[in-house]
Amino acid sequence: MARDTLTREQIVRTAVELLDEEGLEGLNMRSLGKRLGSAATAVYWHVKNKDDLVVLAGDHVWHEIELPNGEPADWRSAAVALAVELHAMFGRHPWLVQAFGSHLFYGPGKARFDDHTLALYERAGFAPAAADAVAAAVFTYVLGNALGDAAMVSLNRRLDREGKDPDEAFRDTMAKASEVAVAFPRLRARLEEPAATDYAAAPHQTLELGLRALLTGLETELAAASGRPGTA
């Protein structure tokens, strides 16, 4: 594909596909050009470098998040639903979670999400500065919650490249972790429970439970600071 027939949109969509399959370490202009049927140099007519491409790809996937229309009757349920959508997007594109450690993301996709989130919190009664604080706290919580899955994807990819069996490596590690945990009474008690099958397993609906607790706590704290009553 010649450079004059390439578009930035084509390049970004293909970069997302490559990132989803190979991770940050698998993205390079040569591999991207091969997928596009073009020379790597043609890509540089549309993007500056790999870092620029990662930022563009990151903003592209933000558009996947569905934003509800209208004002919700229950702002906390709406906030949880929006955060769950964000978490699901991170799950589809785990490279984005890792990229937060090395890139600053911006663009219309992220701005669309941020503006909708702030509007939700302001309609709930938070002042703009308080809405900023709540949005930042929820985003950080979701990002941290997605980190474990993203790290596991990256680890499995690395083990595959090294010719190792990821499942076997995980089982061996969990067996060693369980041996260590036996020395600690609360961890040992959980391992000895009949339903205990996986030392690394998280309780069901941990994300939603934590989000609701976080939002309720932030509302109570900020309401107290402003002198207005919080809502249950």
Side-chain angles (χ1 to χ4, degrees), residues 12 19 28 36 38 45 52 61 65 68 90 95 105 119 125 143 147 153 164 191-193 199 221 232:
V12 171
L19 284 162
N28 58 71
L36 289 164
S38 176
W45 285 86
D52 184 44
V61 300
I65 299 175
F90 283 149
W95 53 269
F105 288 96
L143 182 64
L147 184 59
V153 170
K164 299 176 182 178
L191 288 171
E192 291 172 350
E193 291 177 3
Y199 173 68
E221 182 174 333

Side-chain angles (χ1 to χ4, degrees), residues 8 10-36 40 43-44 47-61 95-96 98-99 102-103 105 154 157 161:
R8 176 178 282 193
Q10 290 173 318
I11 292 170
V12 171
R13 285 201 310 266
T14 305
V16 170
E17 294 172 1
L18 184 57
L19 284 162
D20 288 346
E21 294 176 18
E22 304 293 337
L24 287 172
E25 63 276 13
L27 178 65
N28 58 71
M29 296 308 185
R30 179 173 296 180
S31 296
L32 184 60
K34 185 177 180 180
R35 285 190 176 224
L36 289 164
V43 177
Y44 286 106
V47 296
K48 296 177 183 178
N49 48 44
K50 177 179 174 178
D51 287 340
D52 184 44
L53 185 55
V54 170
V55 171
L56 290 170
D59 191 65
H60 180 84
V61 300
W95 53 269
L96 181 59
Q98 297 172 307
S102 55
H103 295 77
F105 288 96
S154 179
R157 190 179 289 122
R161 287 199 306 268

